Amino acid sequence: MERDVNRRRFLGASTLLIGALAGCPGGQPEETPATTPSPSPEETPTATPTPEEPMTEMGAEVTVRQESGKTVYWVLPGERRLSPTVFGTPDNPRFGADLLEFRIEQAKQLPEPLSNAIPQLLQDLPSLVAVPEQARESVDSPIAHEKLTEPTLFSDNAQITSGEFEVTYKDQRPYDRPGAPGDTPDEADLTATFTDPAENEYELQLDHIVQPPIPGYETGGGVMTGAWHHGVTGTGSPLMPKLFAYGAFWGVGNVLVNGEVATEDGFRVIHFMTTQTVRDQDYRLALDEELPLPTESTIAGRAHHTHGVVLPIRPTPDGPVFDPVPTAFELPNGNPQPFIHAMWEQEELVNSPFKQEMSG
């Protein structure tokens, strides 16, 4: 009984968001063609250190595009294996309840009103920073010792859909600074249209870049190029493996569904990132211990792909709050999917400062 109480306390609004999504379709998606050539890095640069003196401009830009007719995946809610490198073992857990409580206490030191909003957001969506032990279960796996059984947006379940996008990451500052989340010179241009498995049509309209005011996050001014995040980095959910990002941004904007603005009640948080490929041929999301994947073992035989995520977070004058994304895609239990996670598996680096080579 005590374990059940602790589990409910941990999940909070996350249970309302994804804990009630049991029964989502599983199985393996269709095989994706792996013959289209794509650029791949010869050498992975390290993240840019924070300078002692401010650098007002970096000027790095990365443009990525995928035209219509190529493979797009809509990621469904599902379980997530937990990396021992990130989350430890049942006898020696990491990124658990202690870290969550620490981040909440850090958030209470933020200026008002963030000092109230961010602690509540972390309680509602703890997977932004941690997975406490009460939410884990043992699993028989060659690498993972545990899994998060509550459905999450970082699952292995996905269906092929359609769409196209182009994004330009404009990295003007390599570090975050105190101040309002939107107070940054970093920018991004985005056009993104895609469908869900029921063929509802979506368009994302990015309004502006933000520096997420989450303790421990370092987003390079809201846009990063040539940097590492997720996993053990402290930036982004640890449920994603630590990955190299050619470009990434955090911003806010509207979601259009079937031509109509679905977010009249307010923007939602949009996170785009073009990264090393972290999906294998069965579309499993790799653990940290499994990376880097050999190019020939990735879902489309490519070295990189692009993720587009709309999180159930709505910015308000009093700070960000938990609020499901109003999608039109109905899950088997009758509820709409409360997040968007679209993945473009056959994109190309149109403009990038990183060395490239073609690989089939």
Side-chain angles (χ1 to χ4, degrees):
M1 177 64 72
E2 181 178 358
R3 178 182 176 88
D4 290 341
V5 171
N6 289 337
R7 187 183 184 89
R8 286 194 296 271
R9 179 178 179 275
F10 156 64
L11 290 170
S14 295
T15 301
L16 299 177
L17 170 65
I18 55 179
L21 304 184
C24 299
Q28 301 300 336
E30 300 174 25
E31 184 178 356
T32 303
T35 57
T36 305
S38 66
S40 63
E42 291 181 359
E43 182 178 330
T44 300
T46 56
T48 304
T50 301
E52 294 182 4
E53 296 297 327
M55 294 172 57
T56 57
E57 285 192 359
M58 281 186 63
E61 291 192 7
V62 176
T63 298
V64 190
R65 176 194 303 143
Q66 180 169 307
E67 299 174 349
S68 63
K70 296 185 178 181
T71 304
V72 183
Y73 278 89
W74 174 280
V75 179
L76 297 157
E79 297 179 347
R80 172 63 171 144
R81 298 176 298 152
L82 298 181
S83 160
T85 298
V86 180
F87 296 100
T89 65
D91 295 331
N92 187 25
R94 301 179 67 238
F95 277 75
D98 290 345
L99 177 59
L100 176 62
E101 293 301 325
F102 177 66
R103 295 303 187 203
I104 289 174
E105 290 303 314
Q106 284 185 306
K108 291 179 180 178
Q109 307 307 311
L110 293 169
E112 293 185 354
L114 294 178
S115 58
N116 295 317
I118 300 302
Q120 184 61 54
L121 181 65
L122 294 178
Q123 291 180 34
D124 293 342
L125 296 172
S127 62
L128 290 171
V129 297
V131 176
E133 301 81 85
Q134 295 89 347
R136 310 179 188 188
E137 289 188 7
S138 297
V139 62
D140 184 13
S141 169
I143 298 176
H145 300 285
E146 297 174 299
K147 64 180 178 180
L148 173 62
T149 57
E150 300 295 339
T152 170
L153 66 161
F154 306 109
S155 80
D156 298 337
N157 297 331
Q159 291 187 18
I160 293 177
T161 58
S162 63
E164 57 188 321
F165 84 97
E166 182 170 324
V167 61
T168 297
Y169 307 96
K170 301 179 181 180
D171 188 3
Q172 302 296 329
R173 191 172 68 202
Y175 55 92
D176 292 331
R177 292 178 62 183
D183 184 14
T184 174
D186 284 359
E187 298 177 344
D189 295 329
L190 174 69
T191 58
T193 59
F194 52 95
T195 63
D196 65 25
E199 299 187 355
N200 294 295
E201 298 179 350
Y202 295 80
E203 179 182 349
L204 303 184
Q205 292 184 341
L206 177 67
D207 189 81
H208 63 275
I209 296 298
V210 297
Q211 303 171 134
I214 307 296
Y217 277 38
E218 172 53 61
T219 65
V223 174
M224 302 190 308
T225 55
W228 299 87
H229 67 299
H230 289 295
V232 297
T233 66
T235 299
S237 173
L239 288 170
M240 285 289 290
K242 179 182 176 181
L243 43 73
F244 173 74
Y246 298 80
F249 78 68
W250 288 259
V252 296
N254 277 317
V255 178
L256 277 66
V257 181
N258 296 322
E260 301 291 333
V261 176
T263 46
E264 301 94 338
D265 59 343
F267 293 148
R268 293 302 189 276
V269 172
I270 300 173
H271 176 41
F272 252 69
M273 56 180 177
T274 299
T275 75
Q276 69 184 101
T277 303
V278 292
R279 296 278 184 176
D280 69 13
Q281 290 176 322
D282 295 322
Y283 219 66
R284 293 193 318 163
L285 180 59
L287 298 176
D288 291 64
E289 295 83 357
E290 297 169 325
L291 293 177
L293 295 173
T295 302
E296 63 272 14
S297 298
T298 63
I299 183 60
R302 304 169 72 90
H304 53 80
H305 56 180
T306 295
H307 319 236
V309 178
V310 184
L311 293 165
I313 301 174
R314 176 170 52 87
T316 77
D318 294 325
V321 299
F322 160 81
D323 199 354
V325 180
T327 72
F329 182 60
E330 185 176 294
L331 297 169
N333 63 2
N335 294 331
Q337 182 164 316
F339 63 83
I340 293 173
H341 189 175
M343 299 190 67
W344 287 268
E345 300 295 349
Q346 293 179 303
E347 31 83 307
E348 60 176 330
L349 289 173
V350 178
N351 176 53
S352 171
F354 309 115
K355 295 180 180 180
Q356 303 175 22
E357 64 179 8
M358 302 302 291
S359 61

